[in-house]
Amino acid sequence: MSKVVLQAKNRQETGSAHARRIRRNGRIPVVMYGRSGKAISLDLDAHEFSTGTKGISESTIVKVEVEGKTYEAFVKNTQRNIIDGKILHVDFYEVESGVILRAKVSLLIVGNPIGVREGGNLENPLHEIEVECLPKDLPERIEVDVSGLKVNQSLHVRDIPLAEGVKLISAEDQVVALVKFARAEAAAAATAEAAGATPAAGAAPTGAAPAAGKAPAAGKAPAATPAKDKKN
């Protein structure tokens, strides 16, 4: 579990005008939602949040200290200015110690597959899975070793090793990673195979009858045509 700790203050006022004043002072307006649906308004230092949460995943639990009280929470949503990228607002979702939760955990692909070294391409269609566990058992990310994958082999969700206390929620048959030849190479192989089974241009199929009106073979005289009787 991450040791990120953020210092926040209670925020009594709300509204866009107040939020702008907070941002001008280098802070970010924050809302923390609880499991019961109750929400509390906070604000925290913009620089501290940006540096402290850099590189964390969606399943990272951070600590938010608010005037002597500590909350454990996920960073559920970060709203940014589309022009300069500055953070405008943050939503937290509080988690309770000892209470089972569901969360999406990022997958980190590691290793160089055998199939890639043989000329194949690695594809990674799935980037996260959903799990259920206690907050203390929640992984920030799960490493998936693909070193043993050969060409035309795949690794599924059911193949991912999970720590004790972590239950899989995602469908087990989803493909996490696979190795296959590039599309161009596969097409070339299929073309070559088809060419070996196709008759050469101009060759008649085996057992086919000669075409009507075909000229006789070279050196062979044409069949004689009976002469008509000449009238005297």
Side-chain angles (χ1 to χ4, degrees), residues 31-62:
V31 174
M32 182 180 295
Y33 296 92
R35 289 174 57 87
S36 63
K38 183 181 178 181
I40 58 175
S41 298
L42 309 169
D43 65 73
L44 48 77
D45 184 85
H47 179 72
E48 180 187 20
F49 177 81
S50 297
T51 56
T53 59
K54 186 177 181 179
I56 69 171
S57 68
E58 292 183 8
S59 60
T60 302
I61 296 177
V62 302

Side-chain angles (χ1 to χ4, degrees), residues 116-138:
V116 170
R117 299 197 296 271
E118 293 175 345
N121 288 338
L122 174 66
E123 295 188 6
N124 172 212
L126 190 66
H127 302 283
E128 63 183 16
I129 59 172
E130 187 174 13
V131 301
E132 183 179 85
C133 62
L134 292 171
K136 68 180 182 65
D137 298 324
L138 182 65

Side-chain angles (χ1 to χ4, degrees), residues 23-145:
R23 297 185 192 107
R24 283 197 296 267
N25 292 327
R27 299 184 69 81
I28 305 170
V30 171
V31 174
M32 182 180 295
Y33 296 92
R35 289 174 57 87
S36 63
K38 183 181 178 181
I40 58 175
S41 298
L42 309 169
D43 65 73
L44 48 77
D45 184 85
H47 179 72
E48 180 187 20
F49 177 81
S50 297
T51 56
T53 59
K54 186 177 181 179
I56 69 171
S57 68
E58 292 183 8
S59 60
T60 302
I61 296 177
V62 302
K63 290 185 177 181
V64 183
E65 295 185 349
V66 186
E67 300 173 6
K69 186 173 182 179
T70 301
Y71 299 88
E72 290 187 336
F74 294 121
V75 179
K76 295 302 292 183
N77 183 52
T78 302
Q79 181 183 350
R80 294 179 180 272
N81 187 305
I82 60 174
I83 298 175
D84 57 20
K86 290 183 178 180
I87 299 174
L88 300 176
H89 182 89
V90 176
D91 287 334
F92 287 100
Y93 181 78
E94 183 188 2
V95 299
E96 296 181 40
S97 179
V99 178
I100 290 177
L101 56 81
R102 285 190 178 187
K104 292 183 178 180
V105 182
S106 299
L107 300 177
L108 178 62
I109 302 298
V110 297
N112 184 19
I114 295 172
V116 170
R117 299 197 296 271
E118 293 175 345
N121 288 338
L122 174 66
E123 295 188 6
N124 172 212
L126 190 66
H127 302 283
E128 63 183 16
I129 59 172
E130 187 174 13
V131 301
E132 183 179 85
C133 62
L134 292 171
K136 68 180 182 65
D137 298 324
L138 182 65
E140 290 187 41
R141 55 183 57 85
I142 298 174
E143 289 191 358
V144 181
D145 187 357

